[in-house]
Amino acid sequence: MIFKRTADPLPKGRYFRRSLMMILFIACIPGVITGVLLYGWVTVKMEKILQQTHLHQFEQRTVWVGDQLDALELTFSQWAFDPVFDNRLKELDFVFKYKQVHELYRLLLMIQNSNTLIGKVQLYLGEPRAVKMDSERYDFIKDAGEIEKYERLTHQPQATYWSRSMEGTSMMMVNRLPGGSDDALGALTITLDNKQLGNMLQTLSPYNGGTTFLLDEQGKPMLPQDQALGGLQHAVREHLLNLEGNLSSFLMEYEGLTYSVQSGTYRRLGTDWTYVSAVPLNEIVAPIVSVPRIILLVNGSGLLLALILSWVGSLQLYKPFTKLLRIFTVASVRPNGSVQLDEIKHIEQRWIGVNEERESLQQRLEEQLPLARESLLIQLTLGHLLLSSDHEWKQRLAQLGWVLWDERFIILFAHIRPSAVLLYGAKERNQSESQEWISFAATDILNRQLVELPYRAETINYHDMSIALLLAVPPEVQPETPEFREELTRMAQHWLEAVQSEWNVRMTVSISKLTSDASHIPQLVRESRAVLRKRQFSSNVTIIDMNEEAEQDVNEHGVYPLELEQAIISALRSGEQDSALEQFSIFIGTYAGSEVPEKHVRQALFQLLARIQHTLLQLGEDPVELFGVGMYEEVLQLHDLDELFLWFRERIVHVCIEEFTGKEEKQIQMAVHQMKEHAQQQYAEALSLDELADLHGIHSYTLSRAFKQTFGQNFVDYLTEVRLHRAKELLESTDVKISEIAEQVGYQPSYFNRLFKKSEGTTPSRYREDIHKHTGHNRGNRSV
């Protein structure tokens, strides 16, 4: 009994239950009376509050839109004073002065990408020949009427002004060139992207049933989608034009609904743009429509049941409350055992914090996991990620939710070959869609069959009519027994029959060998692909057991060294010439002195050359252009392994190394600098190293190593440094809460505190206090 009281200091709950009974009884009686009053009063009051909130938000959004346009005008006006657009353009020869023309292309592309509102940038020059130029091409203008239209742009009194585009469908800003000169030799124009401008304006009325549009000084619509005004837009425009006093906010009726209309003016380079936003009042006040009725219903019911439920409810409600107190470990307990009155607040704060963190993590997981899961599995099984050990593989699989111990792995690999009628009966442009649809449908059929599977399984769609099923089989299933392979054969047969019953396709399935080392999974996939490529046309067998296939291949052809093939290709892609030659020497050495017929040795070499060519095609290179068309005939002329080694070094290795070394180094350096810029500009929502590697098509290890060689630290440390530097700036110059600063730089508050203390040796709050004390001390010394 003494132990129980010591271990369970929570109260019996009498105070809580009595308080709850009294609160319920007292609250229900005046509830009905106040509910009737609230029904009328709260509705009106809340409508006014919501309307005022809407007007305040509308004003903030209009200021933001105006700021975006101001920034666009300021940036574009500054481009006119670029030295490239000076009087030397009068003497520019577009045919022979390639460097100057290339510089113009580059500058026009920079202008076009400087703002998302810009849809097109164009340069017009009247001398020495009339020419128009954009970021992609230039054309000499021969039509006198077109020349006259462009010349009007240069004869306006303003150096920078707004106008309509030549086709009249978009807004266009014009800069006379050169900037600051009265003698105009041409004009630089930008045409706004109507879609982007429309999206920006739509933020002024983010409600269902609302509308937003722009009018020029004559009251005409400015955007193409506004030129044929809908009924609501037309009614609002007519009402606005007929108003006396030019009110900026008013209410109007349209088709039985009341709309709140706000309007204002943007002063744009000497012209006035009128923006108009109309929102239904019922959308603004929607959050409080049902509140008064609920108040009446709840309070009326509470009055009838108060006496009964006040006692019974108090007994039952306090049980989960006690459990919550135990879970959240309330520290504020009085010595006599009674809980302080802030217990509910404590639970509420802890619960809100846990819930917000859970939702944040859940949202990130739901957004990233499906794509990451699919991408990682494809890269792992194809051997694109160089993971050398079983431990590294299991760590990667754990990221997908596979926590493995002593499981063994096996692959079911299928290749689908549609019939000629199904594949070519449709139009050519629908062939790839038909193949993709069949592949997805076959994967879905397999997933439905795996619902009741007692161990881990994951389907992988390679999007090339190939599908793999990765199985992680626990030891208790006894996967090495013939009965297990028969079970897999039956499952493959059911899958094959289900697919073939739905579509007129030929499908071949292979069942790989069993392995306990996860790093051997890519080898199983490669072996399965090789067997299916060989057997899908030459045999009527639809299910192939790789154990039997491997034994047959060893008896007939010897063992093809797939590991050496992968090592040679990896060395070529990495530019490691010596390693590639060493692996190839081992490759041909496996056949030296063996009893394998010569034709099988050549077949092995042909298979290696085919894999190298396939890799080159995936990297965007043309093997025929690199090696010529007589590569296989040259192999047939070689007499011994020494000649074969010299031929492979000169004709394959040297060519691949020379082709890839320069391109890959340049690509990697560009990717590294883009990573640095990404970390500096988007540090709060920066992508991970693996995501950046996938984005640039470079292995994450290669990208990380290049980043560290270039900047002296890895990408994660650099991103952390940028975030902490920004956090220290905010701590020194603002009074923003530390939790908000953590979110602004991309961290959860708890993790940010630990990371900051580890880096700076002090907590963020103490760091801010020290900075303020130091600043105040210096100010005091200066005043003295």
Side-chain angles (χ1 to χ4, degrees):
M1 294 297 293
I2 295 175
F3 176 77
K4 284 187 176 181
R5 291 193 179 185
T6 304
D8 184 15
L10 296 176
K12 299 300 181 180
R14 296 177 181 176
Y15 174 78
F16 176 85
R17 287 200 300 272
R18 290 174 183 175
S19 300
L20 181 61
M21 290 167 50
M22 182 176 62
I23 291 172
L24 288 174
F25 182 78
I26 296 174
C28 288
I29 294 177
V32 175
I33 301 174
T34 56
V36 175
L37 298 176
L38 289 174
Y39 185 84
W41 181 76
V42 171
T43 302
V44 177
K45 187 69 175 178
M46 290 301 295
E47 285 182 357
K48 291 181 180 179
I49 294 174
L50 291 176
Q51 291 180 20
Q52 292 174 357
T53 303
H54 166 68
L55 291 176
H56 179 67
Q57 293 176 348
F58 177 82
E59 292 173 357
Q60 291 179 335
R61 296 187 190 109
T62 55
V63 171
W64 177 80
V65 172
D67 291 341
Q68 297 299 310
L69 295 174
D70 289 340
L72 175 63
E73 292 175 353
L74 178 60
T75 303
F76 182 63
S77 300
Q78 292 173 349
W79 283 112
F81 295 90
D82 193 281
V84 176
F85 298 126
D86 58 15
N87 288 316
R88 288 177 295 175
L89 292 176
K90 294 182 179 180
E91 303 173 0
L92 178 60
D93 190 333
F94 279 79
V95 178
F96 296 101
K97 294 188 177 181
Y98 172 76
K99 291 185 177 180
Q100 295 183 21
V101 174
H102 181 74
E103 181 65 13
L104 285 176
Y105 277 129
R106 185 189 67 81
L107 190 56
L108 293 179
L109 184 61
M110 288 176 58
I111 297 174
Q112 184 169 331
N113 294 332
S114 64
N115 195 297
T116 58
L117 290 175
I118 299 177
K120 181 180 180 182
V121 178
Q122 193 174 61
L123 171 66
Y124 166 74
L125 296 176
E127 295 178 15
R129 293 175 60 184
V131 62
K132 59 181 180 180
M133 178 181 183
D134 56 28
S135 60
E136 299 178 353
R137 57 177 294 173
Y138 67 86
D139 295 299
F140 292 107
I141 307 175
K142 299 180 180 180
D143 182 36
E146 187 176 3
I147 294 176
E148 182 180 0
K149 291 181 180 179
Y150 280 100
E151 283 296 323
R152 290 199 203 101
L153 299 178
T154 65
H155 294 159
Q156 298 297 325
Q158 292 179 291
T160 304
Y161 60 93
W162 284 96
S163 179
R164 283 280 184 184
S165 61
M166 292 301 176
E167 60 274 13
T169 59
S170 305
M171 295 304 299
M172 179 176 71
M173 194 188 306
V174 183
N175 255 333
R176 287 193 291 107
L177 299 178
S181 175
D182 295 331
D183 184 16
L185 57 90
L188 179 66
T189 67
I190 60 170
T191 304
L192 297 188
D193 187 332
N194 289 329
K195 182 179 179 181
Q196 294 292 338
L197 181 58
N199 291 339
M200 185 174 67
L201 292 176
Q202 194 61 34
T203 61
L204 299 180
S205 58
Y207 296 95
N208 295 328
T211 183
T212 303
F213 55 93
L214 283 175
L215 301 175
D216 59 15
E217 291 181 328
Q218 288 76 32
K220 297 180 179 179
M222 298 179 62
L223 294 179
Q225 59 266 34
D226 294 334
Q227 291 180 6
L229 293 177
L232 174 60
Q233 293 178 333
H234 183 75
V236 173
R237 174 177 172 270
E238 293 297 325
H239 193 94
L240 182 66
L241 295 177
N242 294 331
L243 282 176
E244 296 182 0
N246 194 20
L247 297 176
S248 61
S249 177
F250 57 89
L251 299 177
M252 64 168 287
E253 298 288 333
Y254 179 76
E255 294 185 353
L257 293 176
T258 302
Y259 288 83
S260 174
V261 182
Q262 286 79 35
S263 64
T265 302
Y266 288 131
R267 187 66 176 175
R268 303 258 69 86
L269 299 178
T271 62
D272 291 332
W273 295 3
T274 301
Y275 56 88
V276 184
S277 172
V279 180
L281 279 180
N282 59 344
E283 290 292 332
I284 298 176
V285 300
I288 54 93
V289 170
S290 59
V291 172
R293 297 176 183 175
I294 295 176
I295 293 175
L296 288 177
L297 179 62
V298 171
N299 284 277
S301 302
L303 181 62
L304 297 175
L305 301 177
L307 293 176
I308 299 174
L309 298 182
S310 59
W311 172 251
V312 177
S314 65
L315 295 176
Q316 299 299 322
L317 287 175
Y318 197 72
K319 292 181 180 179
F321 186 81
T322 305
K323 295 180 180 179
L324 285 175
L325 288 176
R326 297 180 187 278
I327 293 173
F328 289 110
T329 316
V330 179
S332 53
V333 180
R334 292 180 182 176
N336 59 3
S338 60
V339 181
Q340 298 179 8
L341 296 179
D342 61 346
E343 55 192 0
I344 297 179
K345 183 178 180 181
H346 174 80
I347 293 176
E348 179 184 6
Q349 291 175 348
R350 294 293 300 273
W351 177 260
I352 291 175
V354 172
N355 193 47
E356 288 179 351
E357 187 171 356
R358 182 192 64 82
E359 291 178 354
S360 176
L361 294 175
Q362 182 68 25
Q363 182 179 1
R364 293 185 181 182
L365 183 63
E366 291 175 354
E367 291 175 354
Q368 301 296 333
L369 186 58
L371 294 177
R373 186 189 193 95
E374 180 180 6
S375 175
L376 182 59
L377 277 176
I378 291 176
Q379 292 186 59
L380 287 174
T381 55
L382 292 180
H384 292 172
L385 298 180
L386 301 179
L387 305 179
S388 58
S389 66
D390 177 70
H391 177 69
E392 291 177 336
W393 261 85
K394 289 183 177 179
Q395 282 184 331
R396 279 303 185 105
L397 292 174
Q399 296 176 3
L400 305 179
W402 283 31
V403 180
L404 303 173
W405 300 100
D406 298 325
E407 287 83 354
R408 282 177 280 185
F409 305 94
I410 194 169
I411 294 285
L412 267 69
F413 194 90
H415 182 75
I416 302 172
R417 182 161 61 90
S419 66
V421 174
L422 179 62
L423 186 57
Y424 297 105
K427 295 182 180 179
E428 183 177 353
R429 58 188 173 87
N430 293 328
Q431 291 178 8
S432 60
E433 296 179 3
S434 300
Q435 294 180 10
E436 191 73 15
W437 169 251
I438 294 174
S439 180
F440 275 116
T443 304
D444 184 64
I445 292 175
L446 180 59
N447 285 329
R448 291 200 297 268
Q449 292 183 359
L450 299 176
V451 173
E452 298 181 357
L453 203 65
Y455 40 84
R456 296 184 183 276
E458 186 71 33
T459 56
I460 309 169
N461 186 351
Y462 294 103
H463 306 282
D464 61 351
M465 304 300 287
S466 298
I467 303 169
L469 174 62
L470 175 61
L471 299 174
V473 187
E476 58 268 18
V477 180
Q478 298 181 349
E480 68 280 352
T481 61
E483 291 78 8
F484 176 76
R485 299 194 75 86
E486 292 176 1
E487 179 185 350
L488 293 182
T489 303
R490 287 193 298 271
M491 183 174 66
Q493 185 66 36
H494 292 160
W495 180 30
L496 189 147
E497 292 174 355
V499 173
Q500 292 182 341
S501 66
E502 292 290 336
W503 297 278
N504 184 19
V505 297
R506 179 174 180 177
M507 179 172 168
T508 310
V509 182
S510 68
I511 303 174
S512 75
K513 296 177 290 185
L514 191 69
T515 180
S516 59
D517 191 338
S519 63
H520 292 169
I521 292 176
Q523 179 181 344
L524 298 181
V525 174
R526 289 194 297 272
E527 291 176 351
S528 299
R529 279 186 180 274
V531 169
L532 292 186
R533 282 199 300 266
K534 181 176 66 175
R535 292 297 183 92
Q536 64 176 333
F537 293 101
S538 61
S539 174
N540 293 324
V541 178
T542 55
I543 299 178
I544 302 171
D545 192 327
M546 294 293 292
N547 283 343
E548 300 174 0
E549 182 70 17
E551 182 178 354
Q552 180 180 355
D553 282 349
V554 170
N555 295 332
E556 295 180 358
H557 309 298
V559 180
Y560 180 77
L562 283 171
E563 298 88 349
L564 293 175
E565 172 195 280
Q566 182 66 21
I568 293 171
I569 293 175
S570 299
L572 290 176
R573 292 185 62 176
S574 304
E576 300 173 359
Q577 177 175 328
D578 295 338
S579 176
L581 291 174
E582 180 183 354
Q583 296 298 328
F584 180 72
S585 177
I586 300 173
F587 181 89
I588 60 177
T590 58
Y591 297 98
S594 65
E595 298 180 357
V596 179
E598 181 181 352
K599 66 176 183 178
H600 293 156
V601 178
R602 297 188 186 277
Q603 287 177 357
L605 180 59
F606 288 160
Q607 181 172 345
L608 173 61
L609 295 177
R611 283 286 297 161
I612 294 175
Q613 288 180 310
H614 179 70
T615 302
L616 289 171
L617 286 172
Q618 290 179 328
L619 296 175
E621 299 295 335
D622 186 358
V624 176
E625 182 179 345
L626 293 176
F627 305 126
V629 296
M631 182 171 59
Y632 293 97
E633 287 76 4
E634 294 176 13
V635 174
L636 295 175
Q637 303 300 321
L638 302 176
H639 301 292
D640 55 38
L641 296 181
D642 292 335
E643 289 185 357
L644 185 61
F645 179 83
L646 295 176
W647 178 88
F648 186 80
R649 183 184 66 185
E650 300 298 328
R651 290 284 284 114
I652 303 299
V653 176
H654 287 176
V655 173
C656 290
I657 297 300
E658 292 175 0
E659 184 67 21
F660 288 122
T661 300
K663 290 185 178 179
E664 289 190 355
E665 285 297 328
K666 184 176 180 181
Q667 180 185 6
I668 290 172
Q669 287 302 315
M670 291 178 61
V672 163
H673 285 85
Q674 289 176 4
M675 287 171 60
K676 181 179 180 182
E677 183 178 354
H678 173 77
Q680 292 174 342
Q681 296 180 358
Q682 302 182 31
Y683 53 85
E685 299 177 355
L687 299 176
S688 66
L689 178 62
D690 290 337
E691 291 171 331
L692 290 171
D694 294 340
L695 183 64
H696 293 287
I698 303 173
H699 194 277
S700 59
Y701 173 77
T702 302
L703 201 59
S704 176
R705 182 179 60 183
F707 190 94
K708 188 171 184 178
Q709 290 176 349
T710 304
F711 300 111
Q713 59 185 148
N714 60 43
F715 175 72
V716 176
D717 291 341
Y718 180 78
L719 177 60
T720 302
E721 181 181 290
V722 171
R723 287 175 167 175
L724 292 180
H725 178 73
R726 178 54 180 161
K728 288 191 290 184
E729 290 180 348
L730 294 173
L731 289 170
E732 295 171 4
S733 60
T734 69
D735 292 329
V736 178
K737 294 181 179 179
I738 293 177
S739 59
E740 296 180 3
I741 292 177
E743 294 176 356
Q744 289 181 21
V745 299
Y747 290 123
Q748 291 292 332
S750 57
Y751 181 72
F752 171 70
N753 289 333
R754 294 196 301 269
L755 186 64
F756 192 93
K757 186 174 182 180
K758 181 179 179 181
S759 174
E760 303 299 325
T762 183
T763 63
S765 58
R766 178 60 62 87
Y767 178 85
R768 171 179 278 175
E769 292 176 0
D770 294 342
I771 290 296
H772 288 178
K773 288 179 180 179
H774 180 70
T775 304
H777 177 70
N778 290 341
R779 290 176 180 173
N781 290 339
R782 287 195 296 268
S783 63
V784 174

